[in-house]
Structures are given as C-alpha cells and as structure tokens.
Amino acid sequence: MKKIFLGVFLALASVVLVQVGCDPKATPASATVPAAVNFPSTTGTVLRTPPSPYGIVLDPAGNLFVVSRWNGNVLKYMPGFGAPVTLASGLNYPAAIVRDTAGNLYVGDENGKIFKITPSGVQSIFASGFNYPRGLAMDGAGNIYVADDYSYGIYKVTTAGVVTNIANPHGNSSQTDGPVASAGFYYPQGIAVTKDGSTVYVGDYWYRVSKINGGQVTTLTSSLGYPQYLTWDTTGNLIVSDNTNGLVQLNVTTNVITPLSTFTTNPRGVVVVDKNTLIVANSNGRYNAANQPIYKITLSSFVK
C-alpha cells in the first residue's frame, strides 16, 4: 500500500494547482437548482481521511497540504501519505489555500484574514479587512485573488499585501453582469485566475460561474448548483467542484459543461494529475468534525 501511495505522489510531483465548500445560506428567490445529470462511471481510492478536508494544494516535492476546516488546522502529508504534520493551527474555519513559488502557503479564514505560513510553519497575518476570504487563487506574478464570501466582493492582494477591490465594491448580491463597479455576485466562493492575471473566474454559491475581464463581469453559465471550487485542468478549462452535480468541466471558450464524476458527494478542493486523474477532498460541511476522505479519482472518460 505504501508503494501505491508513493507512486501517486511521484506522479503528482510536477503538478501544482490551487484552488479554493458550501454552507447553508438562504436561496435567492430566482434560483432554480438544476436536476442531476448522468456521469461517466468512475473509480476512486481513499488516500487519507483527515477531519473536514477543504482546500488542498500539492508542492513539487509531492507534499500535500490540506485545510482541515473544523479543526482550524493546515496539515502536511509527505509522500507515502503517512501520519500528517500540523503545519499551522488556530485558524477560524479556514477553507481556501494557495502556494507561491517560494513554498509559502496562504490560507483564508472566517475572521476575515489571509494568513501566510512559511515552509517551516511560521504563521503571520498577510492581509486582513475581508468578511470571509472563502476562495483564493494566484496568478503567475504571485498576486492573490480573493472571493470574499460574505461581502460579495472580489479582491486582488499584491505580493506586498496591498488589497484592491476589482469587482463589486458596493456589496451587490443580485448576480448581475455589467461593469465591475455595479455588477453583483451572490456569496462568491470559487475563484480561478489566468497566469497573466487578465481574466478572473468566479463561482457564486448558487448556480453561476462568471468571468471578470476588461472591466466587465460576464456570466458563462447559470446551469450549476453550488460551484464552490474552481481549478484549471490540463486543457486550459475549469474543473468545478459542484455540490449538486459533482465534478464538471467548464469550457471557458464555449461555456459547454461536461459531467466528470459523482464519485464524491461533496467535492471541495481538487488537484489535477492528468486529464483522467484527480485528487479531491470530500467534506460534508463546515460543522462536521468527522474524518472524511481525500480521494484519488480515475475518470472513465473525459471530453475536451
């Protein structure tokens, strides 16, 4: 078994993808949750079962970092997937995690702060003043993009820790398109950004994924359930962790949605191994302290 786990992490070692769960909130009056669809068959292997795993990220050495939301910890699993090391603690319902090229981790928690955690475990406040930085993404220059769940705003944090609102400065929750100064989001959670920082993708709590580009917010789809984590796949499109429909691929050019897997009932953070293999954290909610699985999932089919 140890050889299997080691093989998984050696295969993963050259891939570093970040992401950024789902809490009960009031349903907007206009929301209609789509029916579940048929998915390709999948197989999955449980790699580990930490308490309430949410965001996950992998480093080039094959170490997997897991946000344990209930406990407020960040766990480090080394290749071989033995017992974890607690790298950081004392966070308040953390959910999102990203990693820079120097190996520093950045984690958002419900106290409105983003914490920086060095490779040696030194923990400090990197940025503050948010309501709940629920989703984090990082561009190629190391800037962090924030989906601030409770304020409905989208923010950029420079490498110096300077915070700027880039969309919805007035807390508009109407899920409307238009100029960034007036467009709205409803509890934004998932977020992804292109390497050059020119386009930001946002998943609202209810059914929508939109993009921010050229000073405009544009809806790509309103046909999802809870698009709460967004992750780049190997084709330059998004994998969406959707608590209604499982894992889906969203083509960012055509807006076509391709079902991938319902193997996980509550998918959270995702790491992409290759076009048919994913590592997925599965967690049943913010107030669930139980140990829950992190899966390696093999998809039987994948449509580009």
Side-chain angles (χ1 to χ4, degrees), residues 90-237:
L91 306 178
N92 185 50
Y93 294 121
I97 183 170
V98 293
R99 178 187 175 276
D100 67 19
T101 55
N104 300 301
L105 303 173
Y106 300 85
V107 179
D109 83 348
E110 203 170 51
N111 284 338
K113 300 179 178 66
I114 296 175
F115 291 88
K116 179 180 179 179
I117 304 162
T118 69
S120 61
V122 177
Q123 184 175 319
S124 61
I125 296 173
F126 179 69
S128 60
F130 305 100
N131 281 16
Y132 183 13
R134 184 68 163 72
L136 302 180
M138 184 174 285
D139 67 18
N143 301 301
I144 297 172
Y145 296 77
V146 181
D148 196 20
D149 194 5
Y150 296 163
S151 78
Y152 314 116
I154 309 301
Y155 295 85
K156 176 181 178 179
V157 186
T158 69
T159 55
V162 177
V163 179
T164 305
N165 179 276
I166 62 170
N168 195 15
H170 305 298
N172 178 5
S173 62
S174 64
Q175 288 191 315
T176 51
D177 289 354
V180 293
S182 57
F185 302 91
Y186 186 77
Y187 293 108
Q189 297 187 0
I191 192 166
V193 62
T194 54
K195 187 174 181 179
D196 63 3
S198 64
T199 306
V200 177
Y201 296 87
V202 179
D204 287 54
Y205 181 78
W206 279 100
Y207 59 81
R208 183 177 78 150
V209 175
S210 56
K211 72 175 179 180
I212 305 168
N213 176 267
Q216 296 286 319
V217 175
T218 306
T219 296
L220 301 185
T221 180
S222 294
S223 300
L224 297 170
Y226 312 129
Q228 52 191 324
Y229 282 81
L230 307 180
T231 305
W232 292 109
D233 69 11
T234 59
T235 69
N237 295 301

